[in-house]
């Protein structure tokens, strides 16, 4: 700090660490106003370039070590060890929870509910944990950067607090390891594949937003009638962007009714679909885009 405070300081320090919860809650001097904070996420598809494989990303995630390993069994071993190490180092050693076994059971249930609206009472029953502890455990996951909340959309920031968020794990491979699902294949055109593709696109958005420092806000929208928009992107100085995420390689425009309706109801909004089609096209005022092209549009300056 003394060096950084010198008027003509020419030094730069690069300090790394993985124990985010300890830094936040342990009374460390974070050099506010003197140091910049960056999160090192798993790799994006754009960073990987020609080495990126959507199939591998959905199965194993994009942690660098998981990508470097070539054999499926080695990837499974690494991801299982990763989750176990997290439990031991981040949770048990720091004594974030009093008993590790209830948290271990919670973690699997939480991973199985990845991307769903949080119902603390239901999750507590499934994990055998008190609802108030379930809520606290999710906050621990967020504090240790193992996942993030996706808030419900409402034009009023204050009213958003009345609705329950979704929770997404930070990496698909780590999530599948926590689900104990690494031995289960993912087949196209199945519900599980669609959920994994949605998870992938959303974590890409979170990573790119931080890496490119765009300052975008993200939320989801669901009505009482269960009509839903997967992702709403709030852009400074622009209207919201309504995003539907489809794993299909041939999107049926009849499936986009909710997106059309919400687009008409939310003033100044734009509507796009991110999918696995190869070429962009328009359908009734909605842009249907290959998912990477759609991400480029979201994050263009």
């Amino acid at each position: 700090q003394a060096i950084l405070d010198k008027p003509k300081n020419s030094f730069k320090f690069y300090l790394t660490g993985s124990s985010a919860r300890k830094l936040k809650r342990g009374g460390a001097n974070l050099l506010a106003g003197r140091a910049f904070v960056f999160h090192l996420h798993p790799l994006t598809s754009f960073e990987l370039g020609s080495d990126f494989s959507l199939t591998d990303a959905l199965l194993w995630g994009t942690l660098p070590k998981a990508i470097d390993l070539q054999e499926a069994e080695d990837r499974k071993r690494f991801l299982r060890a990763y989750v176990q190490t997290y439990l031991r180092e981040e949770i048990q050693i720091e004594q974030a929870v009093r008993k590790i076994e209830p948290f271990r059971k919670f973690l699997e249930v939480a991973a199985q509910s990845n991307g769903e609206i949080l119902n603390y009472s239901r999750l507590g029953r499934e994990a055998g944990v008190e609802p108030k502890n379930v809520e606290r455990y999710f906050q621990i996951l967020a504090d240790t950067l193992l996942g993030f909340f996706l808030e419900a959309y409402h034009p009023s920031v204050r009213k958003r607090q009345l609705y329950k968020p979704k929770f997404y794990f930070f990496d698909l491979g780590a999530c599948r390891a926590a689900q104990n699902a690494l031995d289960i294949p993912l087949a196209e055109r199945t519900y599980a594949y669609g959920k994994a593709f949605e998870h992938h696109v959303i974590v890409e958005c979170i990573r790119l937003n931080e890496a490119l420092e765009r300052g975008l806000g993200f939320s989801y929208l669901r009505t009482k009638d269960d009509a839903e928009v997967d992702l709403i992107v709030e852009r400074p100085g622009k209207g919201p962007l309504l995003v539907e995420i489809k794993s299909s390689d041939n999107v049926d425009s009849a499936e986009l009714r909710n997106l059309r309706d919400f687009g008409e109801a939310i003033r100044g909004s734009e509507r796009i679909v991110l999918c696995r089609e190869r070429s962009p096209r328009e359908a009734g005022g909605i842009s249907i885009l290959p998912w990477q092209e759609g991400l480029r549009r979201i994050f263009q300056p």
Side-chain angles (χ1 to χ4, degrees):
Q1 179 176 336
I3 293 173
L4 289 174
D5 285 341
K6 288 183 178 179
K8 295 184 178 181
N9 166 47
S10 60
F11 289 91
K12 289 186 177 180
F13 296 89
Y14 295 86
L15 309 178
T16 67
S18 62
S19 189
R21 183 179 173 88
K22 182 179 289 185
L23 283 172
K24 283 183 177 181
R25 298 174 182 266
N29 182 349
L30 299 181
L31 300 174
R34 302 176 181 87
F36 302 131
V37 177
F38 300 96
H39 292 153
L40 296 178
H41 293 276
L43 297 167
T44 70
S45 60
F46 297 102
E47 289 173 307
L48 287 166
S50 60
D51 291 329
F52 175 77
S53 162
L54 178 60
T55 299
D56 284 353
L58 299 187
L59 285 172
W60 316 116
T62 57
L63 285 165
K65 186 67 173 180
I67 292 169
D68 284 343
L69 295 170
Q70 299 299 312
E71 300 297 327
E73 289 303 316
D74 288 337
R75 287 173 167 174
K76 291 176 188 177
R77 293 184 187 108
F78 163 70
L79 289 167
R80 286 172 182 144
Y82 188 96
V83 172
Q84 290 168 4
T85 300
Y86 160 77
L87 283 171
R88 184 174 67 249
E89 294 185 357
E90 293 286 352
I91 301 301
Q92 199 165 24
I93 292 177
E94 293 186 21
Q95 298 179 340
V97 296
R98 292 180 180 178
K99 296 181 180 179
I100 197 66
E101 192 56 35
F103 186 86
R104 192 188 304 275
K105 293 178 181 177
F106 153 80
L107 187 62
E108 183 172 347
V109 171
Q112 291 168 353
S113 300
N114 181 76
E116 297 179 5
I117 297 174
L118 295 180
N119 183 324
Y120 298 123
S121 296
R122 177 181 62 80
L123 294 172
R125 288 194 300 271
E126 293 178 6
V129 178
E130 289 291 327
K132 63 180 180 180
N133 284 335
V134 171
E135 187 171 2
R136 185 167 66 89
Y137 288 170
F138 271 110
Q139 191 59 56
I140 290 171
L141 295 183
D143 286 348
T144 52
L145 306 182
L146 199 69
F148 56 90
F149 294 103
L150 186 69
E151 302 294 338
Y153 174 80
H154 194 283
S156 166
V157 175
R158 180 177 59 83
K159 289 185 178 180
R160 291 185 193 193
Q161 310 308 313
L162 302 176
Y163 301 94
K164 293 179 180 177
K166 294 182 178 182
F167 188 88
Y168 287 90
F169 278 68
F170 81 113
D171 177 76
L172 277 79
C175 181
R176 280 169 52 82
Q179 291 170 341
N180 197 25
L182 291 173
D183 292 317
I184 301 174
L186 278 176
E188 294 183 17
R189 299 180 179 85
T190 62
Y191 176 79
Y193 187 92
K195 292 295 290 182
F197 182 75
E198 176 188 312
H199 186 185
H200 166 71
V201 171
I202 288 175
V203 294
E204 284 270 294
C205 286
I206 298 298
R207 296 166 186 172
L208 290 168
N209 191 45
E210 290 205 13
L212 300 174
E213 300 181 280
R214 291 289 186 263
L216 304 180
F218 301 103
S219 55
Y220 77 93
L221 177 60
R222 181 180 292 181
T223 68
K224 295 179 181 178
D225 301 323
D226 288 335
E228 184 172 0
V229 175
D230 294 323
L231 191 65
I232 296 184
V233 183
E234 296 167 79
R235 305 170 292 180
K238 298 181 180 179
L241 182 64
L242 279 55
V243 181
E244 190 73 12
I245 302 169
K246 298 285 188 184
S247 62
S248 172
D249 55 9
N250 185 17
V251 175
D252 185 349
S253 59
E255 299 176 352
L256 305 179
R257 177 182 171 184
N258 289 338
L259 196 58
R260 291 192 186 93
D261 292 345
F262 282 123
E264 294 172 359
I266 300 177
R267 191 173 301 174
S269 63
E270 297 179 52
R271 295 160 289 177
I272 65 173
V273 177
L274 304 187
C275 62
R276 293 192 302 123
E277 290 195 18
R278 293 184 177 275
S279 302
R281 61 186 176 92
E282 296 288 323
I286 298 173
S287 297
I288 300 175
L289 304 169
W291 64 272
Q292 283 188 307
E293 184 170 332
L295 290 176
R296 291 188 185 96
R297 181 178 296 192
I298 291 172
F299 290 99
Q300 65 187 2

